[in-house]
């Protein structure tokens, strides 16, 4: 007796489900978890600010501590107890013209990836990152800081904007600046992506686009031995 149409349909459906099942993410090394040209088309590695890789909390604080706004002593204590393993900080730039040279006023992408012994450690680091990103500068500060809600899975975000008027009023130095920061955690990894440049050259949408592509590429990927 021939199988009924219903049975054949169920067999076909099961086959499609099996074929469409998600493959387990392949392991990724730490330096494979920073944004690339795949995540930020048109961007290039920064020829001035080279990639920095650190191991252990003390080396992290001594070499990358200046990358934070104004961490407290309590932040440092909590960070040291979070099971930090290693981190990489990377910088890319988007030329003012496609294929153009690196310039100081080009849009830059600053990324930080930290690996911890556990997912709890990465979540704690995410809390510290976000709290620090909302703080004003240690002294006078031209930056206006606002919290944003990025359209990236489980992410938090901040905008730090320094207008020409605020720079003049506070006596700060440097050109007007706009920066969008997006932070997220995935397993034992904590990520921070910053898109910075002159006002009008960066946007929350662009920062989200880069962070979202990065998240889609690294989500669920275990550490590479």
């Amino acid at each position: 007796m021939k199988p009924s149409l219903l049975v054949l349909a169920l067999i076909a459906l099961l086959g499609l489900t099996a074929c469409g099942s998600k493959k387990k993410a392949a392991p990724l090394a730490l330096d494979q978890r920073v944004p690339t040209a795949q995540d930020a088309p048109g961007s290039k590695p920064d020829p001035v600010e080279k990639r920095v890789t650190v191991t252990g909390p003390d080396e992290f604080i001594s070499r990358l501590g200046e990358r934070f706004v104004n961490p407290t002593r309590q932040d440092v204590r909590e960070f040291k107890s979070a099971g930090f393993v290693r981190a990489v900080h990377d910088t890319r730039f988007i030329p003012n013209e496609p294929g153009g040279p690196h310039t100081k006023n080009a849009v830059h992408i600053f990324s930080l990836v930290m690996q911890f012994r556990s997912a709890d450690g990465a979540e704690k680091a995410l809390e510290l990152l976000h709290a620090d990103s909302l703080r004003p500068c240690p002294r006078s500060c031209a930056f206006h800081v606002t919290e944003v809600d990025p359209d990236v899975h489980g992410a938090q975000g901040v905008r730090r904007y320094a207008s020409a008027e605020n720079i003049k009023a506070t006596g700060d130095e440097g050109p007007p600046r706009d920066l969008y920061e997006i932070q997220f955690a995935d397993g034992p990894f904590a990520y921070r992506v910053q898109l910075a440049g002159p006002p009008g050259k960066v946007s929350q949408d662009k920062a989200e686009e880069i962070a979202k592509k990065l998240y889609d590429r690294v989500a669920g990927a275990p550490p590479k031995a």
Side-chain angles (χ1 to χ4, degrees):
M1 179 167 42
K2 292 182 179 180
S4 68
L5 290 176
L6 178 60
V7 172
L8 289 173
L10 286 171
I11 292 172
L13 180 61
L14 288 171
L16 285 172
T17 302
C19 291
S21 61
K22 256 191 166 182
K23 290 183 180 179
K24 189 176 179 181
L28 290 175
L30 201 63
D31 60 4
Q32 294 176 300
R33 296 173 182 272
V34 295
T36 65
Q38 176 184 344
D39 310 305
S43 67
K44 298 179 179 181
D46 193 296
V48 179
E49 296 194 54
K50 303 291 187 179
R51 180 178 295 177
V52 177
T53 302
V54 298
T55 303
D58 290 332
E59 186 182 11
F60 178 90
I61 292 167
S62 65
R63 298 189 65 191
L64 294 176
E66 64 181 18
R67 297 287 179 177
F68 293 79
V69 178
N70 191 19
T72 66
R73 291 181 179 179
Q74 180 64 24
D75 289 341
V76 174
R77 285 193 293 269
E78 290 186 19
F79 176 78
K80 286 187 172 184
S81 65
F84 174 82
V85 179
R86 60 181 66 88
V88 59
H89 186 278
D90 192 67
T91 306
R92 300 182 69 84
F93 76 100
I94 301 175
N96 293 325
E97 296 179 2
H102 175 266
T103 57
K104 286 184 178 180
N105 69 341
V107 172
H108 283 74
I109 304 164
F110 304 104
S111 57
L112 173 68
V113 185
M114 298 183 288
Q115 182 180 353
F116 293 81
R117 294 194 185 96
S118 69
D120 287 344
E123 288 291 344
K124 170 53 69 176
L126 190 66
E127 291 176 17
L128 297 174
L129 277 176
H130 190 61
D132 181 72
S133 67
L134 288 169
R135 293 188 180 113
C137 310
R139 299 177 185 85
S140 65
C141 187
F143 281 95
H144 179 64
V145 185
T146 55
E147 197 165 14
V148 299
D149 185 18
D151 185 21
V152 181
H153 181 78
Q156 298 173 304
V158 171
R159 182 191 185 191
R160 299 180 67 88
Y161 174 66
S163 66
E165 292 77 13
N166 279 359
I167 291 172
K168 184 177 180 180
T170 58
D172 280 3
E173 297 180 354
R177 207 78 179 137
D178 204 359
L179 179 148
Y180 287 89
E181 177 174 323
I182 297 176
Q183 317 118 359
F184 63 87
D186 181 62
F189 297 95
Y191 298 81
R192 182 180 75 184
V193 177
Q194 296 173 320
L195 184 69
K201 297 292 186 181
V202 298
S203 67
Q204 182 176 336
D205 286 345
K206 185 62 179 177
E208 286 181 7
E209 180 185 329
I210 296 169
K212 202 166 189 175
K213 286 182 179 179
L214 175 65
Y215 176 83
D216 289 343
R217 183 167 62 79
V218 302
K224 194 170 186 177

